[in-house]
Amino acid sequence: MELRIARPNGKQGRGYMSREEKANRPVITWAFFSRVMSYMAPYWKQLVLMLTAIGLSAWLNLLPAILTGRIIDEGLIGQDFNRLLWLIGQSFVVILTANLIGVAESFLSNWIAQHMTLDMRNAMFKHLLKMPHHFYTSNNQGDIITRMTSDISGVQQVMTSTVTSILSNSLTLGLALLAMLQKSVPLALVGLIIIPLFIIPTKKMGKLRWQLTSRAQATEDQVNGILNETLSVSGQLLVKLFNQEKQEADRYESFSRDLLALNMKERMAGRWFRVAMSTFSSVGPLLLYLVGGSLMMHYDATLSVGDITVMVVFLGKMYGPVNSLLNIQIDWIRSMALFTRIFDYFDRDVEIESPQQAIWPAGMGEGNETAGVAPSETTTGVTTAAAETSTAAAETSTAAVTTTSKPSASINSTTTSKPSASADLIFDQVAFAYDSERPILKDISFTVQPGETVAIVGPSGAGKSSLINLLPRLHDVDAGSIRLNGVDLRDLDLHYLRETIGIVTQDTYLFNGTIRDNLLYAKADATDAELKEACRLANIHDLIASLPQGYDSLVGNRGLKLSGGEKQRLSIARVLLKNPAILIFDEATSSLDSISESLIQAAIEPLIQSRTSLMIAHRLSTILSADKIVVMDQGQLVAQGSHQDLLNSNALYTELYETQFKQEKNEPAAEEHSAS
């Protein structure tokens, strides 16, 4: 079970944990605590200043109470006006200084907390960007966002509230107790006896408010759930189509009334809580006046009115720190629970990354004459193992591989050289599974020659997309290997590999920005001429030019302002702008009508001929344009060859042709005519 921090109505229940929190409280070891403190280490100077400010503030906040006693005894009772003015002036200066130091303390604690969370948030974002693809398919997106935002933001509570509260309250309590003992030991003991009378009702009333607030939060979650479901675009459409407006309105009103009743109970409980607090807070001073007056009148002539007044003030200053320190354990556990959730993500293995001695093939791009990538920033020779790998790759590839190192950190996505059209791919007994109990790919072996176009066909669930996703290493093979120009993909620099490959997927994703922004994502320094040329090739330029804002038109959230076909063509233009050596189309034209598809097919035909290309095929036109067809079924390669050979020799392909492709038999000619 995953630990979640309960925050009823956006606030933590003071002094109380939910059952889930109690069951999943973090184990705080010295190693864990050291790891938490490591985030404060870069700011140790500011931390020292903050601790100094806390100490000074705690001390100065007690001085006005002492000066109050002297004002009463020396100024008022002693009827010394000059002394009265002097003591009042001292009190004002002390109060002003304490407040200014309090501002400095608040600034320092917030400064440290903000910088800690900035460091943590940046590190988390970089880490999440490197996480494997299956991390995002197996984890709830809302949970990922929560850990990036509210969990890391909650860490600020550790510095701005929890840590400073422990230090400040401990110092205030200790100094107040010492000052009371110095003034009068009997009165100090009376004050200590009174404190439990203040704490007990606070705990009981706090528990009741916590229970009411928790129930109100659960009801509010249900109300928000109704709003999210029924007021979304899809939800509203469903409500209208099934005439459920009245039912949904009644459901919303019912939960809203429940929420109103709970909020009223919680508010009144809060009012009674304040009454109890006020009553019991008055008991202590009254007892001190009673006991102090008795001592002053009958037993201790040295005890003055000012001394008794000071004791009452000190007792009031002890109430808050005692209650806070009693509850601080809960705040501390919640704070550490946030760190536990954050560290859980930090500790997850990146899994797919460039190897320590990654290979950067030479002779495979424009102006790229060296190869190999070392983790250091200096040029070094590769290890013997890496050299052997490079030599083996050179013998099986059309490109040479040198042993000169090139640091990964220096790679720039806008200037990276790309392989030439001579790239070839070899799938050698490839096996893959998302989990050990359900194999997806089994013993897949075939070759894609340089500049060759291969169509991959098969029924739904055959493993076509899974096979394609292995090429940019969204997943790694479990057995066998995939080689690019003779080099295992796992030995190549990951940035280089993904620059080499361009994929247009069936599920087109566009960022919520302009058309230009989405295109520039492929090549940040692209010129307007390059943007327009890529869009012409994808048959989308004329549409963009017709828009009022042209290339600066907003596409909307996930591109909702564009039709499915328009999004597909824009996605194709983005990949063409990237200009990769290997083109992969994962049913990329499935959202297009026949005319648009034929125009795009005609436009990208020269590009496909000059590049190694793989296409997951769903239309006959795609199959007929391929140099080779690979047939897959239940994760296995069952046949490969030309269209006519497969029709004559493979029953599955013949069935696919009869059920999916034959209806388009006469379309290529018509589409060619339309394109002309």
Side-chain angles (χ1 to χ4, degrees):
M1 181 185 290
E2 191 172 35
L3 179 62
R4 296 190 179 277
I5 311 305
R7 296 185 182 90
N9 289 341
K11 299 178 182 178
Q12 293 178 340
R14 290 286 295 174
Y16 298 96
M17 292 189 294
S18 65
R19 271 182 276 178
E20 189 176 3
E21 286 180 301
K22 290 177 181 178
N24 296 280
R25 66 176 66 194
V27 178
I28 303 173
T29 62
W30 175 250
F32 180 88
F33 181 71
S34 299
R35 186 175 183 183
V36 172
M37 296 304 295
S38 68
Y39 286 94
M40 301 182 189
Y43 310 109
W44 67 269
K45 293 179 182 178
Q46 291 82 0
L47 191 60
V48 169
L49 287 175
M50 186 193 74
L51 296 176
T52 303
I54 289 174
L56 286 173
S57 180
W59 177 64
L60 288 173
N61 280 323
L62 293 177
L63 286 183
I66 298 173
L67 290 171
T68 298
R70 294 181 61 188
I71 287 172
I72 293 172
D73 289 337
E74 300 174 20
L76 298 177
I77 297 177
Q79 296 186 355
D80 186 340
F81 186 72
N82 291 331
R83 190 67 175 167
L84 180 64
L85 286 176
W86 171 247
L87 291 171
I88 290 175
Q90 281 186 313
S91 296
F92 176 77
V93 171
V94 168
I95 292 170
L96 180 61
T97 304
N99 287 334
L100 291 175
I101 291 175
V103 172
E105 173 202 326
S106 179
F107 171 80
L108 288 168
S109 64
N110 278 285
W111 190 93
I112 295 170
Q114 291 286 347
H115 281 75
M116 275 179 56
T117 53
L118 176 66
D119 294 343
M120 195 174 290
R121 192 173 283 117
N122 288 338
M124 177 67 81
F125 187 66
K126 291 177 182 177
H127 182 69
L128 289 175
L129 288 176
K130 295 179 182 178
M131 292 301 288
H133 186 61
H134 71 78
F135 171 83
Y136 295 97
T137 58
S138 58
N139 285 279
N140 183 281
Q141 185 180 13
D143 185 63
I144 297 173
I145 299 300
T146 296
R147 298 204 197 193
M148 263 296 297
T149 54
S150 60
D151 281 359
I152 292 181
S153 295
V155 167
Q156 294 182 27
Q157 179 85 1
V158 178
M159 181 55 60
T160 59
S161 179
T162 305
V163 172
T164 54
S165 178
I166 291 173
L167 295 172
S168 179
N169 288 316
S170 297
L171 284 171
T172 300
L173 183 62
L175 290 172
L177 183 59
L178 286 174
M180 289 181 73
L181 290 170
Q182 186 181 16
K183 285 287 181 183
S184 172
V185 173
L187 288 181
L189 293 176
V190 171
L192 290 175
I193 293 171
I194 293 170
I195 287 176
L197 298 177
F198 170 78
I199 295 170
I200 293 171
T202 302
K203 300 291 284 185
K204 287 185 177 297
M205 193 63 70
K207 185 175 183 179
L208 175 60
R209 293 188 69 195
W210 168 247
Q211 292 171 346
L212 289 171
T213 309
S214 297
R215 288 168 58 193
Q217 178 64 46
T219 306
E220 187 175 356
D221 288 343
Q222 291 177 310
V223 171
N224 290 335
I226 294 172
L227 292 175
N228 287 331
E229 289 179 351
T230 58
L231 298 186
S232 65
V233 175
S234 300
Q236 261 296 293
L237 180 61
L238 198 63
V239 170
K240 286 180 170 61
L241 291 177
F242 286 90
N243 288 320
Q244 292 293 312
E245 289 90 341
K246 185 180 184 304
Q247 288 83 344
E248 293 296 345
D250 291 343
R251 189 161 68 107
Y252 177 78
E253 182 178 349
S254 174
F255 280 111
S256 295
R257 288 189 181 278
D258 291 342
L259 180 60
L260 183 148
L262 287 167
N263 282 335
M264 283 299 298
K265 289 181 181 179
E266 193 272 334
R267 294 271 173 26
M268 290 310 297
R271 181 59 183 152
W272 285 112
F273 170 72
R274 287 190 291 274
V275 169
M277 286 283 291
S278 176
T279 302
F280 283 98
S281 296
S282 302
V283 171
L286 293 175
L287 285 174
L288 280 181
Y289 284 130
L290 177 63
V291 175
S294 178
L295 288 172
M296 183 179 67
M297 295 175 191
H298 301 101
Y299 302 103
D300 189 355
T302 62
L303 193 64
S304 67
V305 175
D307 291 336
I308 296 174
T309 304
V310 170
M311 298 293 281
V312 170
V313 174
F314 281 155
L315 181 63
K317 288 187 176 292
M318 291 175 67
Y319 284 157
V322 168
N323 192 48
S324 294
L325 289 173
L326 286 172
N327 291 323
I328 207 70
Q329 179 189 11
I330 308 302
D331 293 337
W332 181 254
I333 289 173
R334 285 181 175 142
S335 299
M336 293 303 102
L338 291 173
F339 277 108
T340 300
R341 284 167 53 82
I342 293 166
F343 291 160
D344 171 49
Y345 269 18
F346 273 128
D347 292 339
R348 297 197 188 190
D349 192 6
V350 172
E351 296 182 24
I352 296 177
E353 56 187 337
S354 294
Q356 190 173 11
Q357 295 290 342
I359 297 173
W360 185 285
M364 291 177 65
E366 300 173 5
N368 186 16
E369 299 176 355
T370 60
V373 179
S376 65
E377 293 295 330
T378 57
T379 302
T380 59
V382 296
T383 61
T384 303
E388 290 173 355
T389 302
S390 300
T391 303
E395 291 174 352
T396 58
S397 172
T398 59
V401 178
T402 73
T403 58
T404 305
S405 297
K406 181 174 181 176
S408 295
S410 66
I411 298 170
N412 186 305
S413 62
T414 61
T415 59
T416 302
S417 300
K418 300 179 179 67
S420 66
S422 62
D424 67 76
L425 290 167
I426 298 175
F427 292 78
D428 186 5
Q429 296 182 313
V430 171
F432 170 72
Y434 294 107
D435 57 72
S436 57
E437 298 178 358
R438 190 168 64 93
I440 302 299
L441 301 173
K442 295 166 282 187
D443 197 26
I444 302 289
S445 296
F446 67 95
T447 300
V448 185
Q449 298 295 334
E452 188 176 41
T453 299
V454 173
I456 304 174
V457 301
S460 178
K464 304 184 294 296
S465 294
S466 296
L467 181 68
I468 290 301
N469 288 338
L470 296 176
L471 286 171
R473 292 188 66 197
L474 298 181
H475 309 284
D476 271 340
V477 299
D478 294 328
S481 66
I482 302 175
R483 296 191 291 277
L484 170 62
N485 281 353
V487 182
D488 193 308
L489 299 185
R490 292 166 292 186
D491 294 329
L492 287 168
D493 177 83
L494 188 59
H495 186 101
Y496 172 84
L497 172 65
R498 290 176 178 171
E499 277 292 300
T500 302
I501 297 169
I503 301 181
V504 180
T505 61
Q506 184 177 7
D507 182 19
T508 302
Y509 188 90
L510 298 176
F511 290 107
N512 189 3
T514 66
I515 292 173
R516 186 187 305 277
D517 293 336
N518 278 277
L519 290 171
L520 291 178
Y521 204 73
K523 186 179 180 184
D525 60 349
T527 64
D528 283 349
E530 289 175 315
L531 295 181
K532 292 175 182 178
E533 178 61 21
C535 290
R536 285 192 185 96
L537 290 172
N539 191 32
I540 191 72
H541 171 71
D542 291 342
L543 171 72
I544 297 172
S546 68
L547 298 174
Q549 302 299 322
Y551 281 81
D552 294 316
S553 300
L554 294 172
V555 301
N557 187 27
R558 295 183 62 90
L560 287 177
K561 292 186 177 181
L562 302 176
S563 69
E566 290 164 354
K567 286 194 294 183
Q568 283 287 30
R569 283 179 279 164
L570 191 59
S571 176
I572 292 170
R574 184 168 56 187
V575 169
L576 294 178
L577 189 66
K578 183 182 180 181
N579 194 26
I582 299 173
L583 281 173
I584 298 173
F585 293 89
D586 186 355
E587 297 190 285
T589 57
S590 61
S591 297
L592 303 179
D593 56 76
S594 299
I595 295 177
S596 296
E597 183 188 14
S598 65
L599 292 173
I600 291 176
Q601 289 283 87
I604 66 175
E605 186 69 28
L607 299 173
I608 293 175
Q609 290 178 352
S610 63
R611 286 168 173 78
T612 303
S613 304
L614 290 92
M615 296 183 170
I616 293 181
H618 73 290
R619 287 191 172 180
L620 182 63
S621 56
T622 305
I623 294 173
L624 294 178
S625 65
D627 298 308
K628 180 167 62 180
I629 301 168
V630 170
V631 185
M632 294 182 63
D633 186 31
Q634 296 183 357
Q636 293 181 302
L637 190 151
V638 295
Q640 56 180 309
S642 67
H643 170 66
Q644 194 59 49
D645 290 341
L646 292 172
L647 276 181
N648 296 332
S649 62
N650 186 261
L652 175 61
Y653 183 78
T654 302
E655 181 183 352
L656 289 171
Y657 173 74
E658 294 289 341
T659 57
Q660 296 183 31
F661 307 134
K662 192 173 183 179
Q663 59 183 343
E664 300 178 57
K665 185 175 181 181
N666 298 320
E667 286 185 11
E671 290 172 352
E672 185 178 350
H673 178 72
S674 299
S676 63

